[in-house]
Coordinates of all heavy atoms in Angstrom, one line a residue:
M1 N 72.7 -84.5 24.7 CA 73.0 -83.4 23.8 C 73.3 -82.2 24.7 O 72.6 -81.9 25.7 CB 71.9 -83.2 22.9 CG 72.3 -82.0 21.9 SD 70.8 -81.6 20.8 CE 71.2 -82.6 19.4
D2 N 74.4 -81.4 24.4 CA 74.6 -80.2 25.1 C 73.6 -79.1 24.8 O 73.0 -79.1 23.8 CB 76.0 -79.7 24.8 CG 77.1 -80.6 25.2 OD1 77.0 -81.3 26.3 OD2 78.2 -80.8 24.6
L3 N 73.5 -78.1 25.7 CA 72.7 -77.0 25.4 C 73.2 -76.2 24.2 O 74.5 -76.1 24.0 CB 72.6 -76.1 26.6 CG 71.9 -76.6 27.9 CD1 71.9 -75.6 28.9 CD2 70.5 -77.1 27.5
M4 N 72.4 -75.9 23.3 CA 72.8 -75.2 22.0 C 72.7 -73.7 22.2 O 71.8 -73.1 22.8 CB 71.8 -75.7 20.9 CG 71.8 -77.2 20.6 SD 73.4 -77.9 20.2 CE 73.4 -77.4 18.5
E5 N 73.8 -73.0 21.7 CA 73.9 -71.6 21.8 C 73.7 -71.0 20.4 O 74.3 -71.5 19.5 CB 75.3 -71.2 22.3 CG 75.3 -69.7 22.6 CD 76.6 -69.3 23.3 OE1 77.0 -70.1 24.2 OE2 77.2 -68.3 22.9
I6 N 72.8 -70.0 20.4 CA 72.6 -69.3 19.1 C 73.9 -68.5 18.6 O 74.4 -67.8 19.5 CB 71.4 -68.4 19.2 CG1 70.2 -69.3 19.4 CG2 71.3 -67.5 18.0 CD1 68.9 -68.5 19.7
K7 N 74.3 -68.8 17.4 CA 75.5 -68.2 16.9 C 75.2 -66.9 16.1 O 76.0 -66.0 16.1 CB 76.2 -69.1 16.0 CG 76.7 -70.4 16.6 CD 77.4 -71.4 15.7 CE 78.1 -72.5 16.3 NZ 77.2 -73.5 16.9
Q8 N 74.0 -66.8 15.5 CA 73.7 -65.6 14.7 C 72.2 -65.5 14.7 O 71.4 -66.4 15.0 CB 74.2 -65.9 13.3 CG 73.6 -67.0 12.6 CD 74.3 -67.4 11.4 OE1 75.3 -67.0 11.1 NE2 73.7 -68.4 10.6
T9 N 71.7 -64.2 14.3 CA 70.3 -64.0 14.2 C 69.8 -64.6 12.9 O 70.5 -64.6 11.9 CB 70.0 -62.5 14.1 OG1 70.5 -61.9 15.4 CG2 68.6 -62.1 13.9
A10 N 68.6 -65.2 13.0 CA 68.1 -66.0 11.8 C 66.6 -65.7 11.6 O 65.9 -65.5 12.6 CB 68.4 -67.5 11.9
L11 N 66.1 -65.9 10.4 CA 64.8 -65.6 10.1 C 64.2 -66.9 9.3 O 64.9 -67.4 8.5 CB 64.7 -64.4 9.2 CG 63.4 -63.8 8.8 CD1 62.8 -63.2 10.0 CD2 63.6 -62.7 7.8
A12 N 63.0 -67.2 9.5 CA 62.3 -68.2 8.7 C 60.8 -67.8 8.6 O 60.2 -67.2 9.6 CB 62.4 -69.6 9.4
G13 N 60.2 -68.1 7.5 CA 58.8 -67.8 7.3 C 58.6 -66.4 6.5 O 59.5 -65.8 6.2
T14 N 57.3 -66.2 6.2 CA 56.9 -65.0 5.5 C 55.8 -64.3 6.2 O 55.3 -64.8 7.2 CB 56.4 -65.4 4.0 OG1 55.2 -66.1 4.2 CG2 57.4 -66.3 3.3
L15 N 55.3 -63.2 5.6 CA 54.2 -62.4 6.2 C 53.0 -62.7 5.4 O 52.0 -62.0 5.4 CB 54.6 -61.0 6.2 CG 55.8 -60.6 7.0 CD1 56.1 -59.1 7.0 CD2 55.5 -61.0 8.6
E16 N 53.0 -63.8 4.6 CA 51.9 -64.2 3.8 C 50.8 -64.8 4.7 O 51.0 -65.3 5.8 CB 52.2 -65.2 2.7 CG 53.3 -64.7 1.8 CD 52.7 -63.7 0.8 OE1 51.6 -63.8 0.4 OE2 53.4 -62.7 0.6
S17 N 49.6 -64.8 4.2 CA 48.4 -65.4 5.0 C 48.7 -66.9 5.3 O 49.3 -67.6 4.5 CB 47.1 -65.2 4.2 OG 46.1 -65.8 4.9
S18 N 48.3 -67.3 6.4 CA 48.5 -68.7 6.9 C 50.0 -69.1 7.2 O 50.3 -70.3 7.2 CB 47.9 -69.7 5.9 OG 46.5 -69.4 5.8
D19 N 50.8 -68.1 7.4 CA 52.2 -68.3 7.7 C 52.6 -67.6 8.9 O 51.8 -66.9 9.5 CB 53.1 -67.9 6.5 CG 54.5 -68.6 6.5 OD1 54.8 -69.3 7.4 OD2 55.2 -68.4 5.4
I20 N 53.8 -67.8 9.4 CA 54.4 -67.1 10.5 C 55.8 -66.8 10.2 O 56.5 -67.6 9.7 CB 54.2 -67.9 11.8 CG1 54.6 -67.0 13.1 CG2 55.0 -69.2 11.8 CD1 54.3 -67.7 14.4
Q21 N 56.3 -65.6 10.6 CA 57.7 -65.3 10.4 C 58.3 -65.3 11.8 O 57.8 -64.6 12.8 CB 57.9 -63.9 9.8 CG 59.3 -63.5 9.5 CD 59.4 -62.2 8.8 OE1 59.2 -61.2 9.4 NE2 59.6 -62.2 7.4
I22 N 59.3 -66.1 11.9 CA 60.1 -66.3 13.2 C 61.5 -65.7 13.0 O 62.3 -66.1 12.1 CB 60.2 -67.7 13.6 CG1 58.9 -68.4 13.7 CG2 61.1 -67.9 14.8 CD1 58.1 -68.3 14.9
M23 N 61.8 -64.7 13.9 CA 63.2 -64.2 14.0 C 63.7 -64.6 15.3 O 63.2 -64.3 16.4 CB 63.2 -62.7 13.7 CG 64.7 -62.2 13.8 SD 65.0 -60.5 13.2 CE 63.9 -59.6 14.1
L24 N 64.9 -65.3 15.3 CA 65.5 -65.8 16.4 C 66.9 -65.1 16.7 O 67.7 -65.1 15.7 CB 65.7 -67.3 16.2 CG 65.8 -68.2 17.4 CD1 64.6 -68.1 18.3 CD2 65.9 -69.7 16.9
S25 N 67.1 -64.6 17.8 CA 68.4 -64.0 18.1 C 68.9 -64.5 19.5 O 68.2 -65.1 20.3 CB 68.4 -62.5 18.0 OG 67.4 -62.0 18.9
K26 N 70.2 -64.3 19.8 CA 70.8 -64.7 21.0 C 70.1 -64.1 22.2 O 69.8 -62.9 22.2 CB 72.3 -64.3 21.0 CG 73.2 -64.9 22.0 CD 74.6 -64.6 21.7 CE 75.5 -65.7 22.2 NZ 76.7 -65.7 21.6
G27 N 69.9 -64.8 23.2 CA 69.3 -64.4 24.5 C 70.1 -64.8 25.6 O 71.1 -65.6 25.5
T28 N 69.9 -64.2 26.8 CA 70.8 -64.5 27.9 C 69.9 -65.0 29.1 O 70.4 -65.6 30.0 CB 71.5 -63.2 28.4 OG1 70.5 -62.2 28.6 CG2 72.5 -62.8 27.4
D29 N 68.6 -64.8 29.1 CA 67.8 -65.1 30.2 C 66.5 -65.8 29.8 O 65.4 -65.3 29.7 CB 67.4 -63.8 30.9 CG 66.7 -64.0 32.2 OD1 66.9 -65.1 32.9 OD2 66.0 -63.2 32.7
G30 N 66.6 -67.1 29.5 CA 65.5 -67.9 29.1 C 65.0 -67.6 27.7 O 65.7 -66.9 26.8
I31 N 63.8 -68.1 27.3 CA 63.2 -67.9 26.0 C 62.2 -66.7 26.1 O 61.2 -66.8 26.8 CB 62.5 -69.2 25.5 CG1 63.6 -70.2 25.2 CG2 61.8 -68.9 24.2 CD1 63.1 -71.6 24.9
K32 N 62.5 -65.7 25.4 CA 61.6 -64.4 25.5 C 60.9 -64.3 24.1 O 61.7 -64.3 23.1 CB 62.4 -63.2 25.8 CG 63.3 -63.2 27.0 CD 62.5 -62.9 28.2 CE 63.4 -62.7 29.4 NZ 62.9 -63.3 30.6
I33 N 59.6 -64.3 24.1 CA 58.9 -64.3 22.8 C 58.1 -63.0 22.8 O 57.2 -62.7 23.7 CB 58.0 -65.5 22.7 CG1 58.8 -66.7 22.7 CG2 57.2 -65.4 21.4 CD1 57.9 -68.1 22.8
T34 N 58.2 -62.3 21.6 CA 57.4 -61.1 21.3 C 56.5 -61.6 20.1 O 57.0 -62.0 19.1 CB 58.3 -59.9 20.8 OG1 59.2 -59.6 21.9 CG2 57.4 -58.7 20.5
L35 N 55.2 -61.6 20.4 CA 54.3 -62.1 19.4 C 53.4 -61.0 18.9 O 52.8 -60.2 19.6 CB 53.4 -63.2 20.0 CG 52.3 -63.8 19.2 CD1 52.9 -64.5 17.9 CD2 51.4 -64.8 19.9
D36 N 53.3 -60.9 17.5 CA 52.3 -60.0 16.9 C 51.4 -60.9 16.1 O 51.8 -61.6 15.1 CB 53.1 -59.1 15.9 CG 52.2 -58.2 15.1 OD1 51.0 -58.1 15.3 OD2 52.7 -57.4 14.2
S37 N 50.1 -61.0 16.5 CA 49.2 -61.8 15.9 C 47.8 -61.3 16.0 O 47.4 -60.8 17.1 CB 49.2 -63.2 16.5 OG 48.2 -64.0 16.0
A38 N 46.9 -61.3 15.0 CA 45.6 -60.9 15.0 C 44.7 -61.8 15.9 O 43.7 -61.4 16.4 CB 44.9 -60.9 13.7
V39 N 45.2 -63.1 16.1 CA 44.5 -64.0 16.9 C 45.2 -64.2 18.3 O 45.0 -65.2 19.0 CB 44.3 -65.4 16.2 CG1 43.4 -65.2 15.0 CG2 45.7 -66.0 15.8
E40 N 45.9 -63.2 18.8 CA 46.7 -63.3 20.0 C 45.8 -63.6 21.2 O 46.1 -64.4 22.1 CB 47.5 -62.2 20.3 CG 48.4 -62.3 21.5 CD 49.5 -61.2 21.6 OE1 49.6 -60.4 20.7 OE2 50.3 -61.3 22.5
K41 N 44.6 -63.0 21.3 CA 43.7 -63.2 22.4 C 43.3 -64.6 22.5 O 43.2 -65.2 23.6 CB 42.6 -62.2 22.3 CG 42.9 -60.8 22.7 CD 41.6 -60.0 22.9 CE 42.1 -58.6 23.4 NZ 41.1 -57.6 23.4
Q42 N 43.0 -65.2 21.4 CA 42.5 -66.6 21.4 C 43.7 -67.7 21.4 O 43.5 -68.7 22.1 CB 41.7 -66.9 20.1 CG 40.5 -66.1 19.9 CD 40.7 -64.9 19.0 OE1 41.7 -64.2 19.1 NE2 39.8 -64.6 18.1
F43 N 44.7 -67.4 20.7 CA 45.8 -68.4 20.5 C 47.2 -68.0 21.0 O 48.0 -68.8 20.7 CB 45.8 -68.9 19.0 CG 44.5 -69.5 18.6 CD1 43.7 -68.8 17.7 CD2 44.1 -70.7 19.0 CE1 42.5 -69.3 17.2 CE2 42.8 -71.2 18.6 CZ 42.1 -70.5 17.7
G44 N 47.3 -66.8 21.5 CA 48.6 -66.3 21.9 C 49.4 -67.3 22.8 O 50.6 -67.6 22.5
D45 N 48.8 -67.7 23.8 CA 49.4 -68.6 24.8 C 49.9 -69.9 24.1 O 51.0 -70.4 24.4 CB 48.5 -68.9 26.0 CG 48.4 -67.7 26.9 OD1 49.2 -66.8 26.8 OD2 47.4 -67.7 27.7
Q46 N 49.0 -70.4 23.2 CA 49.3 -71.7 22.6 C 50.4 -71.5 21.6 O 51.3 -72.4 21.5 CB 48.0 -72.1 21.8 CG 48.3 -73.4 21.1 CD 47.0 -73.9 20.3 OE1 45.9 -73.5 20.6 NE2 47.1 -74.7 19.2
I47 N 50.5 -70.5 20.9 CA 51.6 -70.1 20.0 C 52.9 -70.0 20.7 O 53.9 -70.6 20.3 CB 51.3 -68.9 19.1 CG1 50.1 -69.1 18.2 CG2 52.6 -68.4 18.3 CD1 49.6 -67.8 17.6
R48 N 52.9 -69.3 21.8 CA 54.2 -69.1 22.6 C 54.6 -70.4 23.2 O 55.8 -70.7 23.2 CB 53.9 -68.1 23.7 CG 53.9 -66.7 23.3 CD 53.8 -65.7 24.6 NE 53.5 -64.4 24.1 CZ 52.3 -63.9 23.9 NH1 51.2 -64.6 24.0 NH2 52.1 -62.6 23.5
D49 N 53.7 -71.2 23.7 CA 53.9 -72.5 24.3 C 54.6 -73.5 23.2 O 55.6 -74.1 23.5 CB 52.7 -73.1 24.9 CG 53.0 -74.4 25.6 OD1 53.9 -74.4 26.5 OD2 52.4 -75.5 25.3
L50 N 54.0 -73.4 22.0 CA 54.6 -74.3 20.9 C 56.0 -73.9 20.5 O 56.9 -74.7 20.3 CB 53.7 -74.3 19.7 CG 54.0 -75.2 18.5 CD1 54.2 -76.6 18.9 CD2 53.0 -75.0 17.5
I51 N 56.2 -72.6 20.4 CA 57.6 -72.1 20.0 C 58.5 -72.4 21.2 O 59.6 -73.0 20.9 CB 57.5 -70.5 19.8 CG1 56.7 -70.2 18.5 CG2 59.0 -70.0 19.7 CD1 56.4 -68.7 18.3
T52 N 58.2 -72.2 22.4 CA 59.0 -72.6 23.5 C 59.4 -74.1 23.6 O 60.5 -74.4 23.7 CB 58.4 -72.1 24.8 OG1 58.1 -70.7 24.8 CG2 59.3 -72.5 26.0
K53 N 58.3 -74.9 23.5 CA 58.6 -76.3 23.5 C 59.4 -76.8 22.3 O 60.3 -77.7 22.5 CB 57.3 -77.2 23.6 CG 56.6 -77.0 24.9 CD 55.3 -77.8 24.9 CE 54.7 -77.7 26.3 NZ 53.3 -78.2 26.4
T54 N 59.3 -76.2 21.2 CA 60.1 -76.6 20.0 C 61.5 -76.3 20.2 O 62.4 -77.1 19.9 CB 59.5 -76.0 18.7 OG1 58.1 -76.4 18.6 CG2 60.3 -76.4 17.5
L55 N 61.8 -75.0 20.7 CA 63.2 -74.6 21.0 C 63.8 -75.5 22.1 O 64.9 -75.9 22.0 CB 63.2 -73.1 21.4 CG 62.9 -72.2 20.3 CD1 62.8 -70.7 20.9 CD2 63.8 -72.2 19.1
Q56 N 63.0 -75.8 23.1 CA 63.6 -76.7 24.2 C 63.9 -78.1 23.7 O 64.9 -78.6 24.1 CB 62.6 -76.8 25.3 CG 62.4 -75.5 26.1 CD 61.3 -75.4 27.2 OE1 60.4 -76.2 27.1 NE2 61.4 -74.5 28.1
A57 N 63.1 -78.6 22.7 CA 63.4 -79.9 22.1 C 64.7 -79.9 21.4 O 65.3 -80.9 21.2 CB 62.2 -80.3 21.2
L58 N 65.1 -78.7 20.9 CA 66.3 -78.5 20.2 C 67.5 -78.1 21.2 O 68.6 -77.7 20.7 CB 66.2 -77.4 19.1 CG 65.3 -77.8 18.0 CD1 64.9 -76.5 17.1 CD2 66.0 -78.8 17.1
D59 N 67.2 -78.2 22.5 CA 68.2 -77.9 23.5 C 68.6 -76.4 23.6 O 69.7 -76.0 23.9 CB 69.4 -78.7 23.5 CG 69.0 -80.2 23.9 OD1 68.3 -80.4 24.8 OD2 69.5 -81.1 23.1
I60 N 67.6 -75.5 23.1 CA 67.9 -74.0 23.2 C 67.1 -73.6 24.5 O 65.9 -73.8 24.5 CB 67.3 -73.4 21.9 CG1 68.2 -73.8 20.8 CG2 67.4 -71.8 22.1 CD1 67.6 -73.3 19.4
T61 N 67.8 -73.0 25.4 CA 67.2 -72.5 26.6 C 67.2 -71.0 26.7 O 66.6 -70.4 27.6 CB 67.9 -73.2 27.8 OG1 69.2 -72.8 27.8 CG2 67.7 -74.7 27.8
A62 N 68.0 -70.3 25.9 CA 68.1 -68.9 25.9 C 68.0 -68.4 24.5 O 68.8 -68.6 23.6 CB 69.4 -68.4 26.6
A63 N 66.9 -67.6 24.2 CA 66.7 -67.0 22.9 C 65.7 -65.9 22.9 O 64.8 -65.8 23.9 CB 66.3 -68.0 21.9
N64 N 65.9 -64.9 22.1 CA 64.9 -63.9 21.9 C 64.2 -64.2 20.6 O 64.8 -64.4 19.6 CB 65.5 -62.5 21.8 CG 66.2 -62.0 23.1 OD1 65.5 -62.3 24.2 ND2 67.3 -61.4 23.1
V65 N 62.9 -64.2 20.6 CA 62.1 -64.7 19.5 C 61.1 -63.5 19.2 O 60.4 -63.0 20.1 CB 61.2 -65.9 19.8 CG1 60.4 -66.3 18.5 CG2 62.1 -67.1 20.3
K66 N 61.1 -63.1 17.9 CA 60.1 -62.2 17.4 C 59.2 -63.0 16.4 O 59.8 -63.4 15.4 CB 60.7 -60.9 16.8 CG 59.6 -60.0 16.3 CD 60.1 -58.7 15.8 CE 59.0 -57.7 15.6 NZ 58.8 -57.3 14.2
A67 N 58.0 -63.1 16.7 CA 57.1 -63.9 15.9 C 55.9 -63.0 15.3 O 55.3 -62.3 16.1 CB 56.4 -65.1 16.6
V68 N 55.8 -63.0 14.0 CA 54.7 -62.2 13.4 C 53.8 -63.3 12.7 O 54.2 -63.9 11.7 CB 55.2 -61.3 12.4 CG1 54.0 -60.5 11.7 CG2 56.2 -60.3 13.0
D69 N 52.6 -63.6 13.3 CA 51.7 -64.6 12.9 C 50.7 -64.1 12.0 O 50.1 -63.1 12.3 CB 51.1 -65.3 14.2 CG 50.0 -66.3 13.8 OD1 50.4 -67.2 13.0 OD2 48.9 -66.1 14.3
K70 N 50.4 -64.8 10.9 CA 49.4 -64.5 10.0 C 48.4 -65.6 9.8 O 47.9 -65.9 8.8 CB 50.0 -64.1 8.6 CG 50.9 -62.9 8.6 CD 50.2 -61.6 8.9 CE 51.0 -60.4 8.9 NZ 50.3 -59.2 9.2
G71 N 48.1 -66.3 11.0 CA 47.1 -67.4 11.0 C 47.7 -68.7 10.7 O 47.0 -69.6 10.1
A72 N 49.0 -69.0 11.1 CA 49.6 -70.2 10.8 C 49.0 -71.3 11.7 O 48.7 -71.1 12.9 CB 51.1 -70.1 11.1
L73 N 49.1 -72.5 11.1 CA 48.6 -73.7 11.9 C 49.9 -74.2 12.7 O 51.0 -73.8 12.4 CB 48.2 -74.9 10.9 CG 47.0 -74.6 10.1 CD1 46.8 -75.7 9.0 CD2 45.7 -74.4 11.0
D74 N 49.6 -75.1 13.7 CA 50.7 -75.5 14.6 C 51.9 -76.1 13.8 O 53.0 -75.9 14.2 CB 50.1 -76.5 15.6 CG 49.3 -75.9 16.8 OD1 49.2 -74.6 16.7 OD2 48.9 -76.6 17.7
C75 N 51.5 -76.9 12.8 CA 52.6 -77.6 12.1 C 53.5 -76.5 11.4 O 54.7 -76.8 11.3 CB 52.1 -78.6 11.1 SG 50.9 -77.9 9.9
V76 N 52.9 -75.5 10.9 CA 53.7 -74.4 10.3 C 54.6 -73.7 11.3 O 55.8 -73.3 11.0 CB 52.8 -73.4 9.5 CG1 53.6 -72.2 8.9 CG2 52.0 -74.1 8.4
I77 N 54.0 -73.4 12.4 CA 54.7 -72.7 13.5 C 55.9 -73.5 13.9 O 57.0 -73.0 14.1 CB 53.7 -72.4 14.7 CG1 52.7 -71.5 14.3 CG2 54.6 -71.9 15.9 CD1 51.5 -71.3 15.3
K78 N 55.7 -74.8 14.0 CA 56.8 -75.7 14.5 C 57.9 -75.7 13.4 O 59.0 -75.6 13.7 CB 56.2 -77.1 14.7 CG 57.2 -78.0 15.5 CD 56.4 -79.3 15.9 CE 57.2 -80.1 16.9 NZ 56.5 -81.3 17.3
A79 N 57.5 -75.9 12.1 CA 58.5 -76.0 11.1 C 59.3 -74.7 11.0 O 60.5 -74.8 10.8 CB 57.7 -76.3 9.8
R80 N 58.6 -73.6 11.1 CA 59.3 -72.3 10.9 C 60.2 -72.0 12.1 O 61.3 -71.5 11.9 CB 58.3 -71.1 10.8 CG 57.4 -71.1 9.6 CD 58.3 -71.1 8.3 NE 57.4 -70.8 7.1 CZ 57.8 -70.9 5.9 NH1 59.0 -71.3 5.6 NH2 57.0 -70.5 4.9
T81 N 59.8 -72.5 13.3 CA 60.7 -72.4 14.5 C 61.9 -73.2 14.3 O 63.1 -72.8 14.6 CB 59.9 -72.8 15.8 OG1 58.8 -71.9 15.8 CG2 60.8 -72.6 17.0
I82 N 61.8 -74.5 13.8 CA 62.9 -75.4 13.7 C 63.9 -74.8 12.6 O 65.1 -74.8 12.8 CB 62.4 -76.8 13.2 CG1 61.7 -77.4 14.4 CG2 63.6 -77.6 12.7 CD1 61.0 -78.7 14.0
A83 N 63.3 -74.2 11.5 CA 64.1 -73.7 10.4 C 64.9 -72.5 10.9 O 66.1 -72.4 10.7 CB 63.3 -73.3 9.2
A84 N 64.3 -71.6 11.7 CA 65.0 -70.4 12.2 C 66.1 -70.9 13.2 O 67.2 -70.4 13.2 CB 64.0 -69.5 12.9
A85 N 65.7 -71.8 14.0 CA 66.7 -72.4 15.0 C 67.9 -72.9 14.4 O 69.0 -72.7 14.7 CB 66.0 -73.3 16.0
Q86 N 67.7 -73.8 13.3 CA 68.8 -74.5 12.8 C 69.7 -73.5 12.0 O 70.9 -73.5 12.0 CB 68.4 -75.6 11.8 CG 67.7 -76.7 12.6 CD 67.6 -78.0 11.9 OE1 67.0 -78.0 10.9 NE2 68.1 -79.1 12.4
R87 N 69.1 -72.4 11.4 CA 69.9 -71.3 10.8 C 70.6 -70.6 11.8 O 71.9 -70.2 11.6 CB 68.9 -70.4 10.0 CG 68.4 -71.0 8.8 CD 67.3 -70.1 8.1 NE 66.7 -70.9 7.0 CZ 65.6 -70.5 6.4 NH1 64.9 -69.4 6.8 NH2 65.2 -71.2 5.4
A88 N 70.0 -70.3 13.0 CA 70.7 -69.5 14.0 C 71.8 -70.3 14.7 O 72.8 -69.8 15.1 CB 69.7 -69.2 15.1
L89 N 71.7 -71.7 14.7 CA 72.7 -72.5 15.3 C 73.8 -72.9 14.3 O 74.8 -73.4 14.7 CB 72.1 -73.8 15.9 CG 71.1 -73.7 17.0 CD1 70.4 -75.0 17.2 CD2 71.8 -73.2 18.3
G90 N 73.5 -72.7 13.0 CA 74.4 -73.1 12.0 C 74.4 -74.6 11.8 O 75.4 -75.2 11.4
T91 N 73.3 -75.2 11.9 CA 73.1 -76.6 11.8 C 72.1 -77.1 10.8 O 71.5 -78.1 10.9 CB 72.7 -77.3 13.2 OG1 71.4 -76.8 13.5 CG2 73.7 -77.1 14.2
T92 N 72.0 -76.3 9.7 CA 71.0 -76.6 8.6 C 71.4 -77.9 7.9 O 70.5 -78.5 7.3 CB 70.9 -75.5 7.6 OG1 72.2 -75.1 7.1 CG2 70.3 -74.2 8.2
D93 N 72.6 -78.3 8.0 CA 73.0 -79.6 7.4 C 72.7 -80.8 8.3 O 73.0 -82.0 7.9 CB 74.5 -79.6 7.0 CG 75.4 -79.4 8.2 OD1 74.9 -78.8 9.2 OD2 76.6 -79.7 8.1
Q94 N 72.2 -80.6 9.4 CA 71.8 -81.7 10.4 C 70.3 -81.6 10.7 O 70.1 -81.1 11.8 CB 72.7 -81.6 11.6 CG 74.2 -81.5 11.4 CD 75.0 -80.9 12.5 OE1 74.5 -81.0 13.6 NE2 76.1 -80.4 12.3
P95 N 69.5 -82.1 9.9 CA 68.0 -82.0 10.2 C 67.7 -82.7 11.6 O 68.2 -83.7 11.9 CB 67.3 -82.7 9.1 CG 68.4 -82.8 8.0 CD 69.7 -82.8 8.7
A96 N 66.8 -82.0 12.3 CA 66.4 -82.5 13.7 C 65.1 -83.2 13.5 O 64.0 -82.8 14.0 CB 66.3 -81.4 14.6
W97 N 65.1 -84.4 12.8 CA 63.9 -85.1 12.5 C 63.2 -85.5 13.8 O 62.0 -85.6 13.9 CB 64.2 -86.4 11.7 CG 64.8 -86.0 10.4 CD1 66.0 -86.4 9.9 CD2 64.2 -85.3 9.3 NE1 66.3 -85.9 8.7 CE2 65.2 -85.2 8.3 CE3 63.0 -84.6 9.2 CZ2 65.0 -84.5 7.1 CZ3 62.8 -83.9 7.9 CH2 63.8 -84.0 6.9
E98 N 63.9 -85.8 14.8 CA 63.3 -86.3 16.2 C 62.4 -85.2 16.8 O 61.5 -85.5 17.5 CB 64.3 -86.7 17.1 CG 65.2 -85.7 17.7 CD 66.4 -85.2 16.8 OE1 66.5 -85.8 15.7 OE2 67.2 -84.4 17.2
V99 N 62.6 -84.0 16.4 CA 61.8 -82.8 17.0 C 60.4 -82.8 16.4 O 59.4 -82.4 17.0 CB 62.5 -81.5 16.9 CG1 61.7 -80.4 17.3 CG2 63.8 -81.6 17.6
F100 N 60.3 -83.2 15.1 CA 59.0 -83.2 14.4 C 58.1 -84.2 15.2 O 57.0 -84.0 15.3 CB 59.2 -83.5 13.0 CG 59.5 -82.4 12.1 CD1 60.8 -82.3 11.6 CD2 58.6 -81.4 11.9 CE1 61.2 -81.2 10.9 CE2 59.0 -80.3 11.1 CZ 60.3 -80.2 10.6

């Protein structure tokens, strides 16, 4: 698979408890993540790592990510990242089941 380029800014998730809102936009220099989370000290590195690995599994190597975490579990973080990525890539009609 070729490296995927983000076509548009996209959003997935909510600001409700136990969720995470992921905004993905075009980047030029790797994957840059801005994280806002009450549990950043305990889980910030893990959240950033999961978002990065999920994007890399989708062959995205350059993106700006703004994540607002409200206590989401890993499975929610991954699902929201995939949804935002597919919206940003314009590939919502092609589910990436292998990434799950």
